[in-house]
Amino acid sequence: MSFDSLGLNADILRAVEEQGYREPTPIQSQAIPVVLAGRDLMASAQTGTGKTAGFTLPLLQRLIDKQPHAKGRRPVRALILTPTRELAAQIGENVRDYSKYLDIRSLVVFGGVSINPQMMKLRSGVDVLVATPGRLLDLEHQNAVKLDQVEILVLDEADRMLDMGFIHDIRRVLAKLPARRQNLLFSATFSDEIKGLAEKLLHNPEEVSVARRNTASEQVTQHVHFVDKKRKRELLSQMIGEGNWQQVLVFTRTKHGANHLAEQLGKDGITAAAIHGNKSQGARTRALADFKNGGVRVLVATDIAARGIDIEELPHVVNYELPNVPEDYVHRIGRTGRAAATGQALSLVCVDEHKLLRDIERVLKREVPRMAIPGYEVDPTIPAEPIVNGRQQQRGGGRGNGGGQGQGQRRGGNGGASSERSNAPRRPSRPQGDGAAKPAGANGRRRPVRKPVSA
Ligand code: AMP
């Protein structure tokens, strides 16, 4: 199938061609006709499948097909909600690229940066707004944006939005939208919670789905190295040095762990930067740019910060610490082995993490091959310690207790490291808030606990 046969106009096709896309990806060939037909859509697809063009291209076509009647300031006609700043910025870039030959204005708004420039830009009128929920509500609250003319709503990475506690914000946004509109929902997984949201949001939706990438990808070589916790850093430095790895994305469970590891690698002579929810937007953008252009060899990231980052042909992903939720493992290794490239995903697993590994392998439905590294044999006398951070602890009694959990430093098996999820910065009451991940559980809300996927 070619893009030409999908019903997109010449200006959009020209922009697509300039991106070097030769043919639509499966999600694009399935989703584009549905959106063009004006139907609601429930799409199962994750980052890397081409989903952004899958909703953006037909969305642009719909907008130019139907010029607005209203005179004066352009109203927001398409709203794309997304969980993270990075993803918002990436989608915004795509929207700009695909609409470069159209009379369409787009804008990206997210928290963590000054709100005033965003207010100024909104004042001159915007057709397509890409936003994180918190900042969007702040802007709406300050009358900087009106949402009553939205014709198309896209909820991107809906599962992650719920996981990050955005459900209340999403409901608040929905209440500002006109009842008659087209709704597109994209999610990598379809938990009962997502299905519940979809039921309320979507009218007679068409369902499309593309295979999960990398669950058992042949393109990604996966290995597990058993190693004592205290020797992980040494082993990682050795592997990077001996393998002469030039671009490595390393995952830690915590922000503190990410900072600490980046510092330690620096001391080993390996350029590294950390990226997580406590870093300013400028620092995150800079770190990512340095990593992409080869300025730093190692990017140490937490799951939330890395979500949605698209780095082409990333050769190495290292799980310095296994994630608490098996599904995050799949997301992590999905950062490598994209397109035609092959990638390598290594997990450094200490005695504390054996259960996490078993859970991951249950999801993958296979065992990840073990690889022994001489000189790093595990000391069998070291006892396992509980992993006291992230969701595991929340499950252990942190829910619905009025916000006592999820704040402050904790002591535990990881030395009191702060968790990306449980210890994200609290969003102050509006209007200063931002679109960053915020802890549900703070201000008394119940935090939705994502169930591990079973597929
Ligand atoms: P996404 O899943 O939207 O994050 O897209 C992942 C990557 O695929 C991005 O780098 C896109 O530029 C790229 N991409 C999207 N559509 C196509 C296509 N039809 N052909 C080749 N690459 C594409």
Side-chain angles (χ1 to χ4, degrees):
M1 184 187 267
S2 78
F3 274 105
D4 297 4
S5 60
L6 286 171
L8 300 166
N9 90 354
D11 291 328
I12 296 177
L13 291 175
R14 192 167 142 214
V16 166
E17 200 182 321
E18 282 181 17
Q19 292 300 308
Y21 305 167
R22 278 191 215 102
E23 55 182 40
T25 65
I27 189 71
Q28 291 163 3
S29 46
Q30 290 182 62
I32 290 173
V34 175
V35 181
L36 286 179
R39 296 275 309 270
D40 278 11
L41 175 72
M42 175 154 138
S44 163
Q46 59 186 155
T47 299
T49 54
K51 68 184 165 77
T52 314
F55 60 75
T56 304
L57 299 177
L59 174 153
L60 291 171
Q61 182 70 49
R62 298 270 302 161
L63 294 186
I64 56 170
D65 280 348
K66 185 168 159 264
Q67 288 302 327
H69 308 295
K71 292 233 160 52
R73 187 167 102 176
R74 291 169 180 232
V76 174
R77 299 176 60 204
L79 175 64
I80 302 172
L81 281 184
T82 176
T84 67
R85 303 160 184 187
E86 281 77 13
L87 200 54
Q90 238 163 250
I91 293 172
E93 242 172 68
N94 288 353
V95 173
R96 255 196 318 281
D97 287 341
Y98 303 145
S99 64
K100 71 194 268 200
Y101 299 114
L102 305 175
D103 178 24
I104 289 283
R105 288 195 209 148
S106 61
L107 180 67
V108 182
V109 294
F110 47 70
V113 294
S114 171
I115 199 168
N116 290 334
Q118 297 176 354
M119 294 172 100
M120 297 283 286
K121 285 184 189 139
L122 281 165
R123 212 166 286 162
S124 55
V126 165
D127 303 288
V128 181
L129 184 62
V130 185
T132 51
R135 177 53 63 94
L136 179 67
L137 285 168
D138 291 340
L139 287 161
E140 206 276 340
H141 190 75
Q142 298 192 42
N143 287 326
V145 64
K146 276 191 137 111
L147 301 173
D148 58 355
Q149 310 271 325
V150 168
E151 296 162 33
I152 308 175
L153 169 73
V154 182
L155 279 192
D156 191 28
E157 307 227 344
D159 50 350
R160 188 53 57 134
M161 281 209 261
L162 296 194
D163 190 42
M164 289 166 73
F166 282 137
I167 186 67
H168 300 281
D169 284 351
I170 291 172
R171 287 212 185 101
R172 267 182 223 127
V173 172
L174 294 181
K176 315 274 179 206
L177 303 178
R180 242 180 89 89
R181 55 172 200 267
Q182 188 177 8
N183 301 290
L184 317 177
L185 184 144
F186 284 75
S187 190
T189 56
F190 278 90
S191 62
D192 290 346
E193 211 180 358
I194 293 284
K195 285 185 196 142
L197 176 69
E199 254 167 47
K200 289 200 190 85
L201 182 74
L202 305 174
H203 303 287
N204 188 23
E206 184 82 28
E207 292 180 27
V208 304
S209 117
V210 292
R212 271 171 107 28
R213 290 175 62 102
N214 298 325
T215 23
S217 172
E218 304 81 47
Q219 289 169 329
V220 182
T221 317
Q222 301 173 55
H223 282 116
V224 163
H225 299 298
F226 288 119
V227 58
D228 294 332
K229 189 163 49 187
K230 284 208 173 73
R231 301 197 64 199
K232 282 187 177 184
R233 197 264 307 145
E234 188 188 342
L235 175 58
L236 178 61
S237 289
Q238 182 180 313
M239 290 200 289
I240 292 171
E242 285 183 356
N244 195 22
W245 297 352
Q246 293 304 322
Q247 205 180 33
V248 195
L249 180 60
V250 178
F251 284 94
T252 60
R253 273 192 297 268
T254 68
K255 294 176 276 197
H256 171 83
N259 281 339
H260 188 59
L261 180 60
E263 259 170 47
Q264 285 187 315
L265 290 172
K267 285 182 190 152
D268 289 345
I270 295 168
T271 49
I275 179 168
H276 55 66
N278 272 9
K279 293 257 175 184
S280 72
Q281 187 54 39
R284 288 158 78 169
T285 309
R286 226 169 17 252
L288 189 59
D290 285 347
F291 184 59
K292 281 186 175 181
N293 68 27
V296 296
R297 276 168 90 175
V298 180
L299 188 65
V300 190
T302 54
D303 289 287
I304 285 180
R307 175 79 178 179
I309 292 176
D310 184 37
I311 304 163
E312 272 165 40
E313 301 183 14
L314 186 59
H316 301 283
V317 168
V318 175
N319 294 305
Y320 189 78
E321 293 164 328
L322 289 182
N324 287 323
V325 173
E327 194 202 359
D328 283 342
Y329 176 89
V330 179
H331 286 307
R332 287 177 178 191
I333 71 165
R335 311 285 101 209
T336 180
R338 296 242 174 139
T342 53
Q344 197 184 24
L346 299 179
S347 300
L348 306 186
V349 178
C350 72
V351 66
D352 308 347
E353 298 171 304
H354 286 187
K355 177 170 181 319
L356 298 181
L357 179 62
R358 277 199 302 278
D359 292 345
I360 287 165
E361 292 182 327
R362 201 170 303 135
V363 167
L364 296 176
K365 295 199 170 83
R366 70 182 176 102
E367 187 175 90
V368 181
R370 275 63 168 152
M371 199 188 247
I373 306 264
Y376 287 92
E377 290 78 11
V378 170
D379 177 351
T381 64
I382 298 176
E385 291 177 5
I387 295 168
V388 196
N389 65 17
R391 295 175 191 150
Q392 281 204 324
Q393 193 185 32
Q394 290 147 21
R395 284 198 186 108
R399 295 181 66 197
N401 65 352
Q405 296 284 330
Q407 296 164 49
Q409 298 277 323
R410 293 196 180 97
R411 310 237 167 266
N414 63 356
S418 60
S419 152
E420 174 83 343
R421 287 186 173 81
S422 63
N423 202 27
R426 288 185 73 176
R427 186 145 61 85
S429 56
R430 301 187 199 296
Q432 298 97 323
D434 69 39
K438 69 176 192 282
N443 58 38
R445 291 175 191 163
R446 284 167 70 92
R447 177 196 293 272
V449 175
R450 181 150 51 101
K451 294 185 192 112
V453 291
S454 56

